[in-house]
Amino acid sequence: MVLLALAPLLLLVPSVVAGPATPTATASGIPPVIWEIVSFSEPESAPVTITDPSRSTVQFLPAGRLLARLDCHHGHGGFTAAAGVLALTPLAVTTEMCPPDSEDTRIQTILESATSYTFAPDGLLLLHGDTGSLHLRPALTGVRWAWQTFQGSDDTIVRPDDPSQYTVEFLPNGTLAIQAACHHAVGTYTVDNSTVDLRIGESTRAICPSGALIDRFRRDLDQVTSHVFRDGKLYLALPMDTGIHAFAPTSVAPPAATPAAG
């Protein structure tokens, strides 16, 4: 595949965002992706970088349910999030003993005191409160990505009638689960910073018609070269700045590897 530079992709994303979009599956102002905590800061202290963000995560699920992983601890609670205002209930957290150098307690304190949220231009979610701030990045895994729209460099716009029928799920073991209407396929993926390589395998031989939209979806996924996140949404770009697909996250039942209540 020809690799797409990130700069052209960033130029194309705002035009996609500005157009009509299908609402996500949650009423929350924070999409239900798994958010990995990459750093935190406390008043009058230098920022702290998290060595392994996959061990410090938060997920804002529909119906106001929050799941968290705080190093060796798992927790759950409630929340509301709208128009930049955030309110959390105290977390119920498991009681395992974390290593002495763990930041779990400090992160939990900042998380529970957070009262506002914003989305940074680089795709990060920022949570702020009296005890400090958390910087979180979205993960590809842990949700099902529903196709919202395609915008070509020639201003072509394509939208599925039902986004829930065109989905991609990135599994932690490097495999893909793909639905294109009544067709299902598997594949593999690798990620290196903004570069992503998707390899689509054979689809099931369902007794249902193919069509231009199904064929485009499968063909384009196999050509994807890079990705970015904006406001918790995923944008997959095609080679040579020829177009970009926008996806919104739909929460799925979290497997054992994702944050879960203890």
Side-chain angles (χ1 to χ4, degrees):
M1 290 187 180
V2 179
L3 296 184
L4 176 65
L6 186 57
L9 173 57
L10 295 178
L11 292 174
L12 188 53
V13 166
S15 62
V16 175
V17 174
T22 302
T24 58
T26 173
S28 167
I30 303 177
V33 302
I34 292 179
W35 295 94
E36 299 178 338
I37 301 172
V38 295
S39 66
F40 67 88
S41 59
E42 297 163 308
E44 301 180 3
S45 298
V48 177
T49 299
I50 303 300
T51 304
D52 184 0
S54 68
R55 294 184 58 83
S56 299
T57 64
V58 183
Q59 190 173 21
F60 298 87
L61 294 172
R65 186 183 181 212
L66 181 147
L67 300 181
R69 178 176 180 177
L70 307 170
D71 196 0
C72 62
H73 297 293
H74 294 82
H76 64 92
F79 78 96
T80 59
V85 178
L86 178 65
L88 281 73
T89 63
L91 294 176
V93 180
T94 56
T95 57
E96 290 88 347
M97 293 295 292
C98 290
D101 60 348
S102 175
E103 306 290 358
D104 60 304
T105 301
R106 297 168 72 184
I107 291 174
Q108 181 179 346
T109 298
I110 297 172
L111 177 61
E112 290 182 322
S113 70
T115 56
S116 66
Y117 68 92
T118 57
F119 295 100
D122 60 4
L124 293 183
L125 169 66
L126 312 180
L127 305 183
H128 306 283
D130 291 340
T131 62
S133 300
L134 299 176
H135 292 192
L136 308 92
R137 70 186 182 195
L140 281 170
T141 57
V143 295
R144 185 172 295 117
W145 296 98
W147 182 33
Q148 304 295 293
T149 187
F150 168 80
Q151 179 169 329
S153 57
D154 58 358
D155 294 328
T156 297
I157 301 291
V158 178
R159 291 188 178 91
D161 291 334
D162 184 355
S164 68
Q165 295 298 302
Y166 293 85
T167 64
V168 181
E169 189 172 354
F170 296 83
L171 303 177
N173 63 358
T175 60
L176 293 168
I178 299 162
Q179 178 183 0
C182 59
H183 295 273
H184 295 265
V186 295
T188 61
Y189 72 96
T190 57
V191 178
D192 183 10
N193 295 318
S194 65
T195 299
V196 60
D197 185 7
L198 310 185
R199 301 290 180 177
I200 313 304
E202 293 295 323
S203 64
T204 56
R205 296 184 178 276
I207 303 176
C208 56
S210 295
L213 201 61
I214 295 172
D215 295 341
R216 169 188 283 276
F217 188 67
R218 284 176 45 83
R219 181 186 69 247
D220 284 0
L221 285 179
D222 202 44
Q223 296 178 8
V224 165
T225 57
S226 62
H227 77 295
V228 295
F229 293 101
R230 289 294 178 269
D231 299 345
K233 299 180 180 66
L234 172 65
Y235 298 89
L236 299 178
L238 302 183
M240 305 302 292
D241 198 21
T242 54
I244 186 167
H245 286 269
F247 292 79
T250 301
S251 60
V252 296
T258 61

